[in-house]
Amino acid sequence: MKDPIIATSKYRTPAQRIGLLLMPQYSFYGLGAILDPLFILNWLAQEERFAWRLLSVDGRAVPASNGLPLATEDALPSPGELDSVFVLASFETKTYTGDKRAKLWLRHCAAAGVELGGIEMGTEVLAAAGLLNGHRVSVHWDNLAGFQELYPETQAVDDLYSLAPERLSCAGGTAVLDMMLEWLKPQVEPAYMAELRNHLLERRQRPGDAVQLSTAPEHQLETSAQVRKTIRVMRQTLENPLSAPELATRVALSTRQLERRFKAELGVTPSRYYLWLRINLAHRLLQQTELSVAEVAACSGFGSLEHFSRVYRRFFDCAPSADRLQSRDAPVLPVRYLPYRG
């Protein structure tokens, strides 16, 4: 490693005090993507520019989604002791979004002017406390439909991350590091930021509004314009699916031509792809919301509850009523059902 750069007085301020509120089954990777840049900057500056505290609602050790428990402070600090709070959550969010202690403390933090950030499903913890109403919120693509259903007062989007005064949000995964690099820019000298990137071997930071599902067929240049447009139409009509001839008409192709395009480019028929989109929507709504099975069936375009249950069992090997929590042990769509080539 290179010698640390001498800091300039312009950026010498008291350490930024950061609280990291860990919810059970949070992403261990997300925590590392937050802490590593902060540690490296402290090391480069040879002074404590950033100070962090690991927190939990009950003061106990919190297990990450990989099973590793992490010790936290015995009690939540006074909001006046913190400048920023990042809430980290991933699986089983529905089991603790109603926690009154978390809601009250986060509301006190907001009232005290503490900057609040949601990492992955930490955004739902903030939204459940009513702290993201009217805000643009970046949500992981797998949780976007459920989040929009639960929190219509927010502007939920599939951006990688969103930075706004006093409210941050990140979809999770590798986007956490992208967000941290952007968040740190106004707080750290350019020379330190350049050296931080060197140590992280990170030279390709993505903007917040970058597409999350960049490998999805509708974002691939190899996918024809007609197939991309058809997929967009499918996504817009999941609740009221169109027939194969209607889809073909929308993209100025015959039904047979459209089927040939899908088979050649994605390896499946349009009807199969459409069904895959609908069953995935149902899967997310079941796990992430309190909608009834019948309501989920209707939202995903199934007019018959019996038909919906039969199709769902075929994909997930369980009844819809048995798939009501997004946990590590919950059913996952088998890879063999993925409808496009990668």
Side-chain angles (χ1 to χ4, degrees), residues 312-325:
Y312 203 87
R313 282 182 180 276
R314 189 165 77 241
F315 276 87
F316 295 101
D317 198 29
C318 75
S321 58
D323 191 14
R324 298 312 311 257
L325 180 63

Side-chain angles (χ1 to χ4, degrees), residues 233-307:
V233 172
M234 288 177 174
R235 291 189 183 279
Q236 294 165 1
T237 57
L238 297 179
E239 188 171 353
N240 298 291
L242 302 176
S243 66
E246 288 174 323
L247 283 173
T249 299
R250 291 285 190 97
V251 295
L253 292 175
S254 70
T255 303
R256 178 168 293 186
Q257 286 174 324
L258 185 61
E259 288 183 350
R260 287 175 178 170
R261 289 282 181 93
F262 264 76
K263 286 182 179 180
E265 298 178 29
L266 307 185
V268 295
T269 63
S271 60
R272 178 69 175 182
Y273 194 89
Y274 214 171
L275 178 61
W276 182 81
L277 290 176
R278 291 162 56 205
I279 209 69
N280 267 275
L281 173 62
H283 180 54
R284 293 167 193 145
L285 293 178
L286 284 169
Q287 289 190 345
Q288 300 165 18
T289 75
E290 299 298 336
L291 293 174
S292 69
V293 174
E295 288 172 322
V296 170
C299 288
S300 49
F302 291 90
S304 164
L305 188 55
E306 180 181 354
H307 179 224

Side-chain angles (χ1 to χ4, degrees), residues 14-93:
Q16 175 86 352
R17 303 167 301 170
I18 303 168
L20 298 161
L21 180 60
L22 309 179
M23 309 305 287
Q25 309 300 326
Y26 72 94
S27 167
F28 199 79
Y29 172 84
L31 179 62
I34 293 173
L35 292 182
D36 274 3
L38 302 182
F39 159 74
I40 292 172
L41 286 170
N42 282 352
W43 171 76
L44 289 172
Q46 293 291 284
E47 64 179 358
E48 189 178 59
R49 294 288 192 91
F50 301 93
W52 54 87
R53 304 166 69 171
L54 300 183
L55 311 173
S56 64
V57 176
D58 57 13
R60 300 177 181 176
V62 182
S65 58
N66 62 8
L68 293 176
L70 201 60
T72 62
E73 296 189 8
D74 293 337
L76 292 170
S78 165
E81 300 176 36
L82 299 170
D83 300 306
S84 303
V85 168
F86 293 161
V87 184
L88 285 78
S90 185
F91 288 104
E92 301 184 12
T93 318

Side-chain angles (χ1 to χ4, degrees), residues 121 123-124 137-152 154-159 171 212-213 235 281 284-285 288-289 326:
M121 293 318 296
T123 54
E124 183 165 354
V137 184
S138 294
V139 181
H140 191 283
W141 64 266
D142 196 34
N143 294 86
L144 185 59
F147 194 97
Q148 290 171 328
E149 177 69 31
L150 289 169
Y151 308 104
T154 68
Q155 186 186 351
V157 296
D158 62 353
D159 293 350
Q212 287 188 31
L213 289 178
R235 291 189 183 279
L281 173 62
R284 293 167 193 145
L285 293 178
Q288 300 165 18
T289 75
Q326 191 175 39

